[in-house]
Amino acid sequence: MSTPLLEATGLFKSYPAVKVLKNVNLTVAGGDTFAIIGPNGAGKTTLFKVLSGELFPDSGQVAHEGRDVTTVPAWQRVRLGFGRSFQVARVFSDLTTEDNVVVSVEAHRRNAGLGQRRPLAWAPTAEVREGVMETLREVGLVDKRRVVARLLSHGDKKRLELAMCLALQPKILMLDEPTAGMSPADRKSATELLAMVKERHGMTIVLTEHDMDVVFGLATKVAVLHYGEIVAQGAPDAVRKDPLVRDIYLGHGGAGAGHA
Amino acid sequence: MEPSPAQASPLMRFGLAMLCMAAFLALPGIADKGIVFLAGTVALQMVFGLTWNLMFGQTGLVSFGHASFFAVGGYAYAYAARALPQVHPLLTFAGAGLLCAAIAALVGLIALRRSQGVYFAILTLALSQIVYLVISSSAALGREDGFTGIRRPKLPLGWTTIDLAAGNAYYYFIVVVSALLAGIVWWVTHSRVGRVFRAIQQDPERAAFLGIPVQRYRLMSYAIASGVAGVTGALFGPWLQILTPEVAHWTASARPILYTLLGGVHFFWGPAVGALGFAVLEYGTRTLHGISEIVTGAILLAVVLAAPGGILGAVARLRQRITGKERRP
Ligand SMILES: Nc1ncnc2c1ncn2[C@@H]1O[C@H](COP(=O)(O)OP(=O)(O)O)[C@@H](O)[C@H]1O
Ligand SMILES: [Mg+2]
């Protein structure tokens, strides 16, 4: 078997008052769309932070292509090909939509060693502007490129954040609840956008969701997190049929148990 | 990258900056010596203010001790120019700036390690106290009496040598170099590095997740701002021909903060406009013996309360009101 792209072994993480992650193990292979699902409070965001380097675990290991990256800080993991979005979209709210992506493209080009050819020019180079337009076109924000990000709708902020991640040309795209707080219609278009992105770039995606139905069209592999423990992991259909999972999602309060 | 859609066009802003410089250059022809002296000081303070806002408005770093670098640059130049008179003065000026940038880089390694801004603010304040104490107790730097007899140098330019001690030569030198320094700060602000600074100012954690080494860029901002501030201090010594520990006092560190509030934190030229406004205020109230500080303070407070975006914020709102109807489709 080849080395997995991302592997977590025996992760534990506590906050002063709560034990959040309890012996989490998971394996993401290259090309997977890996969905971590679980009700609110299960520890998905915490797991995400540990995987992406925002937090370090109390014990356990995170490995990237076989290399231990447990305590590698976030900005260095980005250079290894991690691109991450936040549950509540975080964009640079006083910059325009366009400039948010400019900053991202320039950060990527700098890290990838693609030098600027005109050292004294201050405006973004033609290559940067091209990359920005292409990314904005992909997420459908070209018309709003001059809008100050603070004034964007919730859904558009999520799109912008996705654009910022895509600008980094990540090998692993990590999305924390990419459809959180969206209307069903927005949710559908966001899911379609993700499917399209996946098809075009073929990168590995790791995402979290509290709503099981969203991920089943998208995911190639699903892990169910329940009170900080992975209770099921595998192909979507197998996981959906798992009695324990059915119990968690259908047992208490029906299909909507996971909704906030 | 500009915060307000109601700002003047880039060409117009460039024109205004040029006009401002032309006014400075024309001043000796129309004003008396006292005003020219004040104008030279103001030109340096304008740049000094711009450097503080490079940290604050652009990068989100609050320094309470920016005058330390003005002072270190000033004293370093004065000392070096006396000890090594054979060195080209431009090199000595640049050296004073580089020394300040290097000190900031070292201090920043410690002061910027914690991500909390309070930590940085307090350490910069502590640094300024140390600088003040060192200067006022060092015999080589003249203690409380000040470093006296700082000469305006001769400037060899290859084909000719300009005696900066003659007539208004040093004034013109200050104006030209200040414009150059302001140009450097402008360039940094509007370049890729400036965009990174602004991203960090708004959300350092988000910036880190774009692969941006946040601490390194904060350090860069601090070092550039301090280096340029050091050069303004270096230029100030020969202008006044004496330096006293006052230049390192905490009240001197408060000045760029006041300039920025007065001129407008969200505008590149805000601190420069604020420094100019501050000087006009001080000049206008200079005959009110004993109460000039109170009057200056009251007017400042009134402006900041009435126009939270500073002078340029008020101008932008006015422009928006006038042109607003045409702009809206
Ligand atoms: N910074 C924090 N400090 C203390 N407790 C936290 C913190 N963040 C999350 N928690 C707690 O950890 C648990 C898991 O939270 P989280 O990882 O956000 O779950 P999810 O993303 O699955 O909703 C919750 O009980 C939450 O209250
Ligand atoms: Mg969460």
Side-chain angles (χ1 to χ4, degrees), chain B residues 71-72 74-80 82 131-148 150 242-245:
Chain B
V72 169
Y75 275 90
Y77 171 81
Y79 192 88
R82 180 172 296 170
V131 169
Y132 183 78
L133 285 175
V134 167
I135 290 173
S136 49
S137 59
S138 156
L141 300 179
R143 295 216 175 86
E144 302 284 356
D145 299 334
F147 195 114
T148 52
I150 305 170
I242 177 176
L243 281 173
T244 61

Side-chain angles (χ1 to χ4, degrees), chain A residues 62-231:
Chain A
V62 180
H64 170 254
E65 287 178 339
R67 185 188 144 207
D68 184 3
V69 294
T70 315
T71 56
V72 172
W75 63 270
Q76 284 179 8
R77 281 190 218 196
V78 173
R79 294 177 179 196
L80 297 174
F82 287 61
R84 183 200 155 176
S85 78
F86 292 76
Q87 180 164 349
V88 177
R90 274 165 87 167
V91 298
F92 303 116
S93 47
D94 285 344
L95 303 187
T96 60
T97 300
E98 192 170 37
D99 285 342
N100 268 278
V101 185
V102 168
V103 168
S104 312
V105 171
E106 285 183 331
H108 168 67
R109 290 180 63 84
R110 174 133 185 108
N111 287 341
L114 303 165
Q116 274 181 301
R117 253 183 261 141
R118 305 169 301 157
L120 274 182
W122 55 83
T125 62
E127 290 100 318
V128 169
R129 273 182 283 128
E130 219 166 84
V132 169
M133 282 310 282
E134 195 181 307
T135 312
L136 286 175
R137 219 173 283 130
E138 182 161 9
V139 300
L141 282 177
V142 173
D143 292 346
K144 292 175 181 152
R145 67 184 185 280
R146 297 277 150 75
V147 177
V148 177
R150 163 169 27 94
L151 305 175
L152 291 176
S153 72
H154 178 77
D156 283 343
K157 275 187 194 153
K158 284 246 167 202
R159 278 171 194 271
L160 175 54
E161 208 189 21
L162 179 63
M164 292 163 75
C165 290
L166 290 178
L168 305 176
Q169 303 186 3
K171 292 200 212 92
I172 310 177
L173 183 60
M174 303 189 67
L175 307 165
D176 195 4
E177 304 220 13
T179 69
M182 286 188 181
S183 67
D186 282 349
R187 195 171 276 233
K188 187 159 171 286
S189 73
T191 318
E192 283 164 5
L193 177 59
L194 283 183
M196 209 176 75
V197 162
K198 170 84 182 185
E199 188 170 311
R200 183 167 314 163
H201 301 276
M203 81 274 273
T204 306
I205 298 181
V206 179
L207 61 92
T208 70
E209 250 316 324
H210 65 259
D211 184 345
M212 216 156 131
D213 300 329
V214 172
V215 302
F216 274 98
L218 217 53
T220 56
K221 211 172 164 193
V222 177
V224 180
L225 197 64
H226 186 53
Y227 289 115
E229 286 175 274
I230 302 266
V231 294

Side-chain angles (χ1 to χ4, degrees), chain A residues 52 54 74-75 78-79 84 86 90 92-95 99 102-104 106-107 110-111 116 119-120 122-124 161 165 168, chain B residues 1-3 186-187 190-192 195-196 198-214 216-217 266:
Chain A
S52 65
E54 186 182 338
W75 63 270
V78 173
R79 294 177 179 196
R84 183 200 155 176
F86 292 76
R90 274 165 87 167
F92 303 116
S93 47
D94 285 344
L95 303 187
D99 285 342
V102 168
V103 168
S104 312
E106 285 183 331
R110 174 133 185 108
N111 287 341
Q116 274 181 301
L120 274 182
W122 55 83
E161 208 189 21
C165 290
L168 305 176
Chain B
M1 289 284 171
E2 298 302 336
W186 189 95
W187 184 85
H190 291 78
S191 70
R192 183 191 67 82
R195 287 188 278 280
V196 174
R198 262 187 303 285
I200 290 172
Q201 184 255 329
Q202 288 176 39
D203 190 341
E205 198 164 68
R206 189 68 190 87
F209 273 98
L210 296 177
I212 290 169
V214 172
R216 203 176 298 166
Y217 276 94
H266 295 303

